[in-house]
Coordinates of all heavy atoms in Angstrom, one line a residue:
C248 N -48.0 -18.3 -37.5 CA -48.4 -19.5 -36.9 C -48.7 -19.4 -35.4 O -49.6 -20.0 -34.8 CB -47.3 -20.6 -37.1 SG -47.7 -22.2 -36.6
Q249 N -47.9 -18.6 -34.6 CA -48.1 -18.4 -33.3 C -49.4 -17.7 -33.0 O -50.1 -17.9 -32.2 CB -46.9 -17.4 -32.8 CG -46.5 -18.2 -31.4 CD -45.2 -17.4 -30.9 OE1 -44.9 -16.4 -31.5 NE2 -44.6 -17.8 -29.9
N250 N -49.8 -16.8 -33.9 CA -51.1 -16.0 -33.8 C -52.1 -17.0 -34.0 O -53.2 -16.9 -33.3 CB -51.2 -14.9 -34.9 CG -50.4 -13.6 -34.4 OD1 -50.0 -13.6 -33.3 ND2 -50.2 -12.8 -35.4
E251 N -52.1 -17.8 -34.9 CA -53.1 -19.0 -35.2 C -53.4 -19.7 -33.9 O -54.5 -20.0 -33.5 CB -52.8 -19.8 -36.3 CG -53.0 -19.1 -37.8 CD -52.5 -20.0 -38.8 OE1 -52.4 -21.1 -38.6 OE2 -52.2 -19.3 -39.8
Q252 N -52.2 -20.1 -33.2 CA -52.4 -20.9 -32.0 C -53.0 -20.1 -30.8 O -53.9 -20.5 -30.1 CB -51.0 -21.3 -31.6 CG -50.3 -22.5 -32.4 CD -48.9 -22.7 -32.0 OE1 -48.2 -21.9 -31.4 NE2 -48.5 -24.0 -32.4
W253 N -52.6 -18.7 -30.9 CA -53.3 -18.0 -29.8 C -54.7 -17.8 -30.1 O -55.6 -17.8 -29.2 CB -52.6 -16.6 -29.7 CG -53.1 -15.6 -28.8 CD1 -53.0 -15.6 -27.5 CD2 -54.2 -14.7 -29.0 NE1 -53.7 -14.6 -26.8 CE2 -54.5 -14.1 -27.7 CE3 -54.9 -14.2 -30.2 CZ2 -55.4 -12.9 -27.7 CZ3 -56.0 -13.3 -30.1 CH2 -56.1 -12.8 -28.7
L254 N -55.1 -17.6 -31.3 CA -56.6 -17.5 -31.7 C -57.3 -18.6 -31.4 O -58.4 -18.7 -31.0 CB -56.7 -17.1 -33.2 CG -56.4 -15.7 -33.5 CD1 -56.3 -15.5 -35.0 CD2 -57.3 -14.6 -32.9
A255 N -56.8 -19.9 -31.7 CA -57.4 -21.1 -31.6 C -57.7 -21.4 -29.9 O -58.7 -21.7 -29.5 CB -56.6 -22.4 -32.1
A256 N -56.6 -21.0 -29.2 CA -56.7 -21.1 -27.7 C -57.8 -20.2 -27.1 O -58.6 -20.5 -26.3 CB -55.4 -20.8 -27.0
S257 N -57.8 -18.9 -27.6 CA -58.8 -18.0 -27.2 C -60.2 -18.5 -27.6 O -61.1 -18.4 -26.8 CB -58.6 -16.7 -28.0 OG -57.4 -16.0 -27.3
W258 N -60.3 -19.0 -28.8 CA -61.6 -19.5 -29.2 C -62.1 -20.6 -28.4 O -63.2 -20.6 -27.9 CB -61.6 -20.0 -30.7 CG -62.9 -20.3 -31.3 CD1 -63.8 -19.5 -31.8 CD2 -63.4 -21.7 -31.4 NE1 -64.9 -20.2 -32.2 CE2 -64.6 -21.5 -32.0 CE3 -62.9 -22.8 -31.1 CZ2 -65.4 -22.7 -32.3 CZ3 -63.6 -24.0 -31.4 CH2 -65.0 -23.8 -31.9
N259 N -61.2 -21.5 -28.2 CA -61.6 -22.7 -27.3 C -61.8 -22.2 -25.8 O -62.8 -22.7 -25.3 CB -60.4 -23.6 -27.3 CG -60.3 -24.6 -28.6 OD1 -61.3 -24.7 -29.2 ND2 -59.1 -25.0 -28.8
E260 N -61.2 -21.3 -25.4 CA -61.4 -20.8 -24.0 C -62.8 -20.1 -24.0 O -63.5 -20.3 -23.0 CB -60.3 -19.8 -23.5 CG -60.5 -19.2 -22.2 CD -59.3 -18.3 -21.7 OE1 -58.2 -18.4 -22.2 OE2 -59.8 -17.4 -21.0
N261 N -63.2 -19.3 -24.9 CA -64.6 -18.6 -25.0 C -65.5 -19.7 -25.2 O -66.5 -19.6 -24.5 CB -64.5 -17.6 -26.2 CG -63.7 -16.5 -25.8 OD1 -63.5 -16.1 -24.5 ND2 -63.2 -15.8 -26.8
R262 N -65.3 -20.7 -26.0 CA -66.3 -21.7 -26.1 C -66.6 -22.4 -24.7 O -67.7 -22.8 -24.4 CB -65.8 -22.8 -27.2 CG -65.8 -22.3 -28.5 CD -67.1 -22.3 -29.2 NE -67.8 -23.6 -29.1 CZ -68.6 -24.1 -30.1 NH1 -68.9 -23.3 -31.0 NH2 -69.1 -25.2 -29.9
G263 N -65.6 -22.8 -24.0 CA -65.7 -23.3 -22.7 C -66.4 -22.5 -21.8 O -67.2 -23.0 -21.1
K264 N -66.2 -21.2 -21.8 CA -66.9 -20.4 -20.9 C -68.4 -20.3 -21.2 O -69.3 -20.2 -20.6 CB -66.3 -19.0 -20.9 CG -64.9 -18.9 -20.3 CD -64.4 -17.6 -20.4 CE -63.0 -17.3 -19.6 NZ -62.4 -16.2 -19.7
E265 N -68.8 -20.3 -22.7 CA -70.0 -20.2 -23.2 C -70.7 -21.6 -22.7 O -71.8 -21.6 -22.4 CB -70.1 -20.2 -24.6 CG -69.7 -18.8 -25.2 CD -69.5 -18.7 -26.6 OE1 -69.9 -19.7 -27.5 OE2 -69.0 -17.7 -27.1
A266 N -70.0 -22.7 -22.8 CA -70.6 -24.0 -22.5 C -70.9 -24.0 -20.9 O -72.0 -24.5 -20.7 CB -69.7 -25.2 -22.9
T267 N -70.0 -23.5 -20.2 CA -70.1 -23.5 -18.9 C -71.4 -22.6 -18.3 O -72.3 -23.0 -17.6 CB -69.0 -22.9 -18.0 OG1 -67.8 -23.7 -18.3 CG2 -69.1 -22.8 -16.4
A268 N -71.4 -21.5 -19.1 CA -72.7 -20.6 -18.8 C -74.1 -21.3 -19.2 O -74.9 -21.2 -18.5 CB -72.5 -19.3 -19.5
A269 N -73.9 -22.0 -20.3 CA -75.2 -22.7 -20.8 C -75.6 -23.7 -19.8 O -76.8 -23.9 -19.5 CB -75.0 -23.1 -22.1
Y270 N -74.6 -24.6 -19.4 CA -75.0 -25.7 -18.5 C -75.3 -25.1 -17.0 O -76.2 -25.6 -16.5 CB -73.8 -26.6 -18.4 CG -73.5 -27.5 -19.6 CD1 -72.3 -27.4 -20.3 CD2 -74.6 -28.2 -20.2 CE1 -72.1 -28.1 -21.5 CE2 -74.5 -28.9 -21.4 CZ -73.2 -29.0 -22.0 OH -73.0 -29.7 -23.2
Q271 N -74.8 -23.9 -16.8 CA -75.1 -23.4 -15.4 C -76.5 -23.0 -15.6 O -77.4 -23.1 -14.5 CB -74.2 -22.2 -15.2 CG -74.4 -21.6 -13.7 CD -74.2 -22.5 -12.7 OE1 -73.1 -23.0 -12.6 NE2 -75.0 -22.7 -11.7
K272 N -77.0 -22.3 -16.6 CA -78.4 -21.9 -16.7 C -79.2 -23.1 -16.8 O -80.4 -23.0 -16.1 CB -78.5 -21.1 -18.1 CG -79.7 -20.5 -18.3 CD -79.9 -19.4 -17.3 CE -81.2 -18.7 -17.6 NZ -81.6 -17.6 -16.5
A273 N -79.0 -24.3 -17.4 CA -79.9 -25.3 -17.5 C -79.9 -25.8 -15.9 O -81.1 -26.3 -15.7 CB -79.1 -26.5 -18.4
V274 N -79.0 -25.9 -15.2 CA -79.1 -26.4 -13.9 C -79.9 -25.5 -13.0 O -80.7 -26.0 -12.2 CB -77.6 -26.6 -13.2 CG1 -77.6 -26.7 -11.8 CG2 -76.9 -27.7 -13.9
E275 N -79.8 -24.1 -13.3 CA -80.6 -23.2 -12.5 C -82.1 -23.4 -12.9 O -83.0 -23.3 -12.1 CB -80.2 -21.8 -12.8 CG -78.9 -21.4 -12.4 CD -78.4 -20.0 -12.9 OE1 -79.1 -19.2 -13.3 OE2 -77.2 -19.8 -12.7
I276 N -82.3 -23.6 -14.2 CA -83.8 -23.9 -14.5 C -84.3 -25.2 -14.0 O -85.5 -25.3 -13.6 CB -83.9 -23.8 -16.2 CG1 -83.5 -22.4 -16.6 CG2 -85.3 -24.3 -16.7 CD1 -83.4 -22.3 -18.1
D277 N -83.6 -26.3 -14.1 CA -84.0 -27.6 -13.6 C -82.8 -28.2 -12.8 O -81.9 -28.9 -13.3 CB -84.4 -28.4 -14.8 CG -85.0 -29.7 -14.4 OD1 -85.0 -30.1 -13.1 OD2 -85.3 -30.6 -15.1
A278 N -82.9 -28.1 -11.5 CA -81.8 -28.6 -10.7 C -81.8 -30.1 -10.6 O -80.7 -30.7 -10.3 CB -82.0 -28.1 -9.3
N279 N -82.8 -30.8 -11.2 CA -82.8 -32.2 -11.3 C -82.4 -32.8 -12.6 O -82.5 -33.9 -13.0 CB -84.2 -32.7 -11.0 CG -84.6 -32.6 -9.6 OD1 -83.8 -32.7 -8.6 ND2 -85.8 -32.1 -9.3
Y280 N -81.8 -32.0 -13.6 CA -81.3 -32.3 -14.9 C -80.1 -32.8 -14.7 O -79.1 -32.0 -14.8 CB -81.4 -31.0 -15.8 CG -81.1 -31.3 -17.2 CD1 -81.0 -32.5 -17.8 CD2 -80.8 -30.2 -18.0 CE1 -80.7 -32.8 -19.1 CE2 -80.6 -30.4 -19.4 CZ -80.6 -31.7 -19.8 OH -80.2 -31.9 -21.3
A281 N -79.9 -34.1 -14.5 CA -78.7 -34.8 -14.3 C -77.6 -34.7 -15.3 O -76.4 -34.3 -14.9 CB -78.9 -36.3 -14.1
Q282 N -77.9 -34.7 -16.6 CA -77.0 -34.6 -17.7 C -76.3 -33.2 -17.6 O -75.1 -33.0 -18.0 CB -77.5 -34.8 -19.0 CG -77.8 -36.4 -19.2 CD -79.0 -37.0 -18.4 OE1 -79.9 -36.2 -17.9 NE2 -79.1 -38.3 -18.1
A283 N -77.0 -32.2 -17.3 CA -76.6 -30.8 -17.2 C -75.6 -30.7 -16.1 O -74.5 -30.1 -16.2 CB -77.7 -29.8 -17.0
H284 N -75.7 -31.3 -15.0 CA -74.8 -31.4 -13.9 C -73.5 -32.1 -14.4 O -72.5 -31.5 -14.2 CB -75.3 -32.1 -12.7 CG -76.2 -31.3 -12.0 ND1 -75.7 -30.3 -11.0 CD2 -77.6 -31.3 -11.8 CE1 -77.0 -29.7 -10.5 NE2 -78.0 -30.3 -11.0
R285 N -73.6 -33.2 -15.1 CA -72.4 -33.9 -15.6 C -71.6 -33.0 -16.5 O -70.4 -32.8 -16.5 CB -72.8 -35.1 -16.3 CG -71.5 -35.9 -16.8 CD -72.0 -37.1 -17.7 NE -72.8 -36.7 -18.8 CZ -73.7 -37.4 -19.5 NH1 -74.0 -38.6 -19.1 NH2 -74.3 -36.8 -20.6
E286 N -72.4 -32.4 -17.6 CA -71.7 -31.6 -18.7 C -71.1 -30.4 -18.0 O -70.0 -29.9 -18.3 CB -72.6 -31.3 -19.8 CG -73.0 -32.6 -20.5 CD -71.8 -33.5 -20.9 OE1 -70.8 -32.9 -21.4 OE2 -71.9 -34.6 -20.8
L287 N -71.7 -29.7 -17.0 CA -71.3 -28.6 -16.3 C -69.9 -29.0 -15.5 O -68.9 -28.2 -15.6 CB -72.3 -28.0 -15.3 CG -71.8 -26.8 -14.6 CD1 -71.3 -25.7 -15.3 CD2 -73.0 -26.3 -13.5
A288 N -70.0 -30.0 -14.9 CA -68.7 -30.6 -14.2 C -67.6 -30.6 -15.3 O -66.6 -30.3 -15.1 CB -69.1 -31.9 -13.5
R289 N -67.8 -31.4 -16.4 CA -66.7 -31.5 -17.4 C -66.3 -30.2 -17.9 O -65.1 -29.9 -18.1 CB -67.3 -32.3 -18.5 CG -67.4 -33.8 -18.1 CD -68.0 -34.6 -19.3 NE -68.1 -35.9 -19.0 CZ -68.9 -36.8 -19.6 NH1 -69.6 -36.5 -20.7 NH2 -68.8 -38.2 -19.3
A290 N -67.3 -29.3 -18.1 CA -66.8 -27.8 -18.6 C -65.9 -27.2 -17.5 O -65.0 -26.5 -17.9 CB -68.0 -27.0 -19.0
L291 N -66.3 -27.3 -16.2 CA -65.6 -26.7 -15.2 C -64.2 -27.4 -15.1 O -63.3 -26.7 -14.8 CB -66.4 -26.9 -13.8 CG -67.7 -25.9 -13.8 CD1 -68.5 -26.3 -12.7 CD2 -67.3 -24.5 -13.7
M292 N -64.2 -28.7 -15.1 CA -62.8 -29.3 -15.1 C -61.9 -28.8 -16.2 O -60.7 -28.7 -15.9 CB -63.0 -30.9 -15.2 CG -63.3 -31.5 -14.0 SD -63.2 -33.4 -14.2 CE -61.5 -33.7 -14.4
A293 N -62.4 -28.7 -17.5 CA -61.6 -28.2 -18.4 C -61.1 -26.8 -18.3 O -60.2 -26.3 -18.6 CB -62.4 -28.1 -19.8
Q294 N -61.9 -26.0 -17.4 CA -61.4 -24.6 -17.1 C -60.6 -24.6 -15.7 O -60.3 -23.5 -15.2 CB -62.5 -23.6 -16.9 CG -63.3 -23.5 -18.2 CD -64.4 -22.5 -18.1 OE1 -64.4 -21.5 -17.5 NE2 -65.5 -22.9 -18.7
Q295 N -60.4 -25.8 -15.1 CA -59.6 -26.0 -13.9 C -60.3 -25.4 -12.7 O -59.7 -25.0 -11.7 CB -58.2 -25.5 -14.0 CG -57.4 -26.2 -15.1 CD -56.0 -25.8 -15.2 OE1 -55.5 -24.8 -14.5 NE2 -55.2 -26.5 -16.1
H296 N -61.6 -25.5 -12.8 CA -62.5 -25.1 -11.5 C -62.9 -26.4 -11.0 O -64.0 -26.9 -11.1 CB -63.7 -24.3 -12.0 CG -63.4 -23.0 -12.6 ND1 -62.8 -21.9 -11.9 CD2 -63.5 -22.5 -13.9 CE1 -62.7 -20.9 -12.7 NE2 -63.1 -21.2 -13.9
F297 N -61.9 -27.0 -10.2 CA -62.0 -28.5 -9.7 C -63.1 -28.5 -8.5 O -63.9 -29.5 -8.5 CB -60.8 -28.9 -9.3 CG -59.7 -28.9 -10.4 CD1 -58.6 -28.3 -10.2 CD2 -60.0 -29.5 -11.6 CE1 -57.6 -28.2 -11.3 CE2 -59.2 -29.4 -12.7 CZ -57.9 -28.8 -12.4
K298 N -63.2 -27.6 -7.7 CA -64.2 -27.7 -6.6 C -65.7 -27.6 -7.1 O -66.5 -28.5 -6.8 CB -64.1 -26.5 -5.6 CG -62.9 -26.6 -4.7 CD -62.9 -25.5 -3.7 CE -61.6 -25.6 -2.8 NZ -61.6 -24.6 -1.8
G299 N -65.8 -26.8 -8.2 CA -67.3 -26.7 -8.7 C -67.5 -28.1 -9.5 O -68.6 -28.6 -9.5
A300 N -66.4 -28.6 -10.2 CA -66.7 -29.9 -10.9 C -67.0 -31.0 -10.1 O -67.9 -31.7 -10.3 CB -65.3 -30.1 -11.8
L301 N -66.3 -31.0 -8.9 CA -66.7 -32.0 -7.9 C -68.0 -32.0 -7.4 O -68.8 -33.0 -7.4 CB -65.6 -31.9 -6.7 CG -65.8 -32.9 -5.5 CD1 -65.7 -34.4 -6.0 CD2 -64.9 -32.6 -4.4
V302 N -68.6 -30.8 -7.1 CA -70.0 -30.6 -6.8 C -70.9 -31.2 -7.7 O -71.9 -32.0 -7.4 CB -70.2 -29.3 -6.3 CG1 -71.7 -28.9 -6.2 CG2 -69.4 -28.8 -5.0
H303 N -70.6 -30.8 -9.0 CA -71.7 -31.2 -10.0 C -71.5 -32.8 -10.5 O -72.5 -33.3 -10.7 CB -71.6 -30.3 -11.1 CG -72.1 -28.9 -10.8 ND1 -73.5 -28.6 -10.7 CD2 -71.5 -27.8 -10.6 CE1 -73.6 -27.3 -10.4 NE2 -72.4 -26.8 -10.2
F304 N -70.3 -33.3 -10.3 CA -70.2 -34.7 -10.6 C -70.9 -35.5 -9.5 O -71.8 -36.4 -9.8 CB -68.7 -35.2 -10.5 CG -68.1 -35.0 -12.0 CD1 -66.8 -34.6 -12.0 CD2 -68.7 -35.4 -13.1 CE1 -66.1 -34.4 -13.2 CE2 -68.0 -35.3 -14.4 CZ -66.8 -34.8 -14.4
Q305 N -70.8 -35.0 -8.2 CA -71.5 -35.7 -7.1 C -73.0 -35.5 -7.2 O -73.8 -36.5 -7.1 CB -71.0 -35.1 -5.9 CG -69.7 -35.4 -5.6 CD -69.1 -34.8 -4.2 OE1 -69.4 -33.6 -4.1 NE2 -68.2 -35.5 -3.6
E306 N -73.5 -34.3 -7.7 CA -74.9 -34.1 -7.9 C -75.5 -35.0 -9.0 O -76.5 -35.6 -9.0 CB -75.2 -32.7 -8.2 CG -76.7 -32.3 -8.2 CD -77.3 -32.5 -6.9 OE1 -76.8 -32.5 -5.8 OE2 -78.7 -32.7 -7.0
Y307 N -74.7 -35.2 -10.1 CA -75.0 -35.9 -11.3 C -75.3 -37.4 -10.7 O -76.4 -38.1 -11.0 CB -74.0 -36.0 -12.3 CG -74.1 -37.0 -13.3 CD1 -75.1 -37.0 -14.3 CD2 -73.2 -38.0 -13.5 CE1 -75.4 -38.0 -15.3 CE2 -73.3 -39.1 -14.4 CZ -74.5 -38.9 -15.3 OH -74.7 -40.0 -16.3
L308 N -74.3 -38.0 -9.9 CA -74.5 -39.4 -9.5 C -75.6 -39.6 -8.5 O -76.2 -40.6 -8.4 CB -73.2 -39.9 -8.8 CG -72.1 -40.1 -9.9 CD1 -70.8 -40.8 -9.3 CD2 -72.6 -41.2 -11.0
K309 N -75.9 -38.4 -7.7 CA -77.0 -38.3 -6.8 C -78.4 -38.5 -7.6 O -79.2 -39.3 -7.2 CB -77.0 -37.2 -5.8 CG -78.0 -37.2 -4.9 CD -77.8 -36.0 -3.8 CE -79.1 -35.0 -4.1 NZ -78.9 -33.8 -3.2
L310 N -78.4 -37.9 -8.6 CA -79.6 -37.8 -9.5 C -79.8 -39.0 -10.4 O -80.8 -39.5 -10.8 CB -79.7 -36.6 -10.5 CG -79.8 -35.2 -9.5 CD1 -79.4 -34.1 -10.5 CD2 -81.3 -35.2 -9.0
E311 N -78.5 -39.6 -10.8 CA -78.5 -40.8 -11.6 C -77.6 -42.0 -10.9 O -76.6 -42.1 -11.5 CB -77.9 -40.5 -13.1 CG -78.8 -39.6 -13.8 CD -79.9 -40.3 -14.6 OE1 -79.9 -41.5 -14.7 OE2 -80.9 -39.7 -14.8
P312 N -78.2 -42.5 -9.9 CA -77.3 -43.4 -9.1 C -76.9 -44.6 -10.0 O -75.9 -45.4 -9.8 CB -78.2 -43.9 -8.0 CG -79.5 -43.6 -8.3 CD -79.4 -42.3 -9.3
K313 N -77.6 -45.0 -11.1 CA -77.3 -46.1 -12.0 C -76.9 -45.7 -13.3 O -77.1 -46.3 -14.4 CB -78.5 -47.0 -12.1 CG -78.9 -47.7 -10.8 CD -80.1 -48.7 -10.9 CE -80.3 -49.2 -9.5 NZ -81.4 -50.2 -9.5
A314 N -76.2 -44.5 -13.3 CA -75.7 -43.9 -14.6 C -74.8 -44.9 -15.5 O -74.0 -45.5 -14.7 CB -74.9 -42.6 -14.4
P315 N -74.9 -45.0 -16.7 CA -74.2 -45.9 -17.5 C -72.6 -45.6 -17.4 O -71.7 -46.3 -17.6 CB -74.6 -45.8 -18.9 CG -75.4 -44.6 -18.9 CD -76.0 -44.4 -17.5
D316 N -72.4 -44.2 -17.1 CA -71.0 -43.8 -17.1 C -70.5 -43.7 -15.5 O -69.5 -42.9 -15.2 CB -70.8 -42.4 -17.9 CG -71.7 -41.4 -17.4 OD1 -72.6 -41.6 -16.5 OD2 -71.6 -40.3 -17.9
M317 N -71.2 -44.2 -14.7 CA -70.9 -44.2 -13.2 C -69.4 -44.3 -12.9 O -68.9 -43.5 -12.0 CB -71.7 -45.1 -12.4 CG -71.6 -45.0 -10.9 SD -72.7 -46.1 -9.9 CE -72.2 -47.6 -10.6
K318 N -68.8 -45.4 -13.4 CA -67.5 -45.6 -13.0 C -66.5 -44.6 -13.6 O -65.6 -44.0 -12.8 CB -66.9 -47.0 -13.8 CG -65.6 -47.3 -13.6 CD -65.2 -47.9 -12.1 CE -63.9 -48.5 -12.1 NZ -62.9 -47.6 -11.2
E319 N -66.8 -43.9 -14.7 CA -65.9 -42.9 -15.2 C -66.1 -41.7 -14.2 O -65.0 -41.1 -13.9 CB -66.3 -42.6 -16.6 CG -65.7 -41.3 -17.2 CD -66.4 -40.8 -18.4 OE1 -67.1 -41.5 -19.1 OE2 -66.4 -39.6 -18.7
I320 N -67.3 -41.3 -13.8 CA -67.6 -40.3 -13.0 C -66.9 -40.4 -11.6 O -66.4 -39.6 -11.1 CB -69.1 -39.9 -13.0 CG1 -69.7 -39.7 -14.3 CG2 -69.5 -38.8 -12.0 CD1 -69.1 -38.6 -15.1
Q321 N -67.1 -41.7 -11.1 CA -66.4 -41.9 -9.8 C -64.9 -41.7 -9.8 O -64.4 -41.2 -8.9 CB -66.8 -43.4 -9.4 CG -68.2 -43.6 -9.0 CD -68.7 -44.9 -8.6 OE1 -68.2 -45.9 -9.2 NE2 -69.7 -45.1 -7.7
D322 N -64.4 -42.1 -11.0 CA -62.8 -42.1 -11.2 C -62.5 -40.4 -11.1 O -61.6 -40.1 -10.5 CB -62.4 -42.7 -12.4 CG -62.4 -44.2 -12.4 OD1 -62.6 -44.8 -11.2 OD2 -62.4 -44.8 -13.4
S323 N -63.3 -39.7 -11.8 CA -63.1 -38.3 -11.8 C -63.3 -37.7 -10.5 O -62.4 -36.9 -10.2 CB -64.1 -37.6 -12.9 OG -63.8 -38.1 -14.2
I324 N -64.3 -38.1 -9.8 CA -64.6 -37.6 -8.5 C -63.2 -38.0 -7.5 O -62.8 -37.1 -6.9 CB -65.8 -38.2 -7.8 CG1 -66.9 -37.6 -8.5 CG2 -65.9 -38.0 -6.3 CD1 -68.3 -38.1 -8.1
A325 N -62.7 -39.2 -7.7 CA -61.6 -39.7 -6.8 C -60.4 -38.7 -7.1 O -59.7 -38.4 -6.2 CB -61.3 -41.1 -7.2
L326 N -60.2 -38.4 -8.3 CA -58.9 -37.5 -8.8 C -59.3 -36.1 -8.3 O -58.4 -35.6 -7.8 CB -58.9 -37.5 -10.3 CG -58.3 -38.7 -10.9 CD1 -58.4 -38.5 -12.4 CD2 -56.9 -38.8 -10.7
L327 N -60.4 -35.6 -8.3 CA -60.7 -34.3 -7.8 C -60.6 -34.2 -6.3 O -60.3 -33.1 -5.8 CB -62.3 -33.8 -8.3 CG -62.4 -33.6 -9.8 CD1 -63.8 -33.4 -10.0 CD2 -61.5 -32.4 -10.2
K328 N -60.8 -35.3 -5.7 CA -60.6 -35.3 -4.2 C -59.1 -35.4 -3.7 O -59.0 -35.0 -2.5 CB -61.5 -36.4 -3.6 CG -63.0 -36.1 -3.5 CD -63.6 -37.3 -2.9 CE -65.2 -36.9 -2.6 NZ -65.9 -38.0 -2.0
K329 N -58.3 -35.6 -4.6 CA -56.9 -35.7 -4.2 C -56.2 -34.4 -3.9 O -56.6 -33.3 -4.5 CB -56.1 -36.5 -5.2 CG -56.4 -37.8 -5.2 CD -55.6 -38.6 -6.2 CE -55.7 -40.2 -6.1 NZ -54.8 -40.9 -7.0

């Protein structure tokens, strides 16, 4: 049972790293791709890379000033600035 938990945690960690790499690549290809910035920020938060998450959440709102999830993102930014 403990091995299963470790394997699940490792798998999830690797998936998070893969997602981060994919969103990072998307942002490199198109710096104006707002959703990629948002998802990269979420992936970075999940990996506790808070400074990077803050940068990408801010960039998302800069690119999508009327984003439907603006309040949620602003709340995340406020938490990351603490």
Side-chain angles (χ1 to χ4, degrees):
C248 186
Q249 227 174 5
N250 280 345
E251 288 175 18
Q252 289 174 340
W253 179 83
L254 286 172
S257 292
W258 185 82
N259 286 334
E260 182 179 325
N261 286 333
R262 293 281 303 212
K264 288 178 183 176
E265 289 172 12
T267 300
Y270 292 123
Q271 184 66 51
K272 187 69 173 171
V274 166
E275 288 171 15
I276 292 169
D277 183 359
N279 293 318
Y280 185 13
Q282 288 74 19
H284 283 283
R285 180 188 62 206
E286 296 308 316
L287 177 55
R289 288 178 175 162
L291 289 169
M292 273 188 71
Q294 294 178 46
Q295 299 185 356
H296 295 293
F297 301 124
K298 285 183 181 181
L301 177 61
V302 167
H303 289 284
F304 275 140
Q305 289 172 327
E306 187 64 20
Y307 169 66
L308 288 183
K309 187 173 110 181
L310 294 168
E311 289 285 336
K313 296 182 180 183
D316 57 353
M317 180 176 61
K318 177 74 172 105
E319 172 195 335
I320 301 302
Q321 288 173 330
D322 289 348
S323 294
I324 287 171
L326 285 173
L327 289 167
K328 285 185 172 180
K329 287 187 177 183

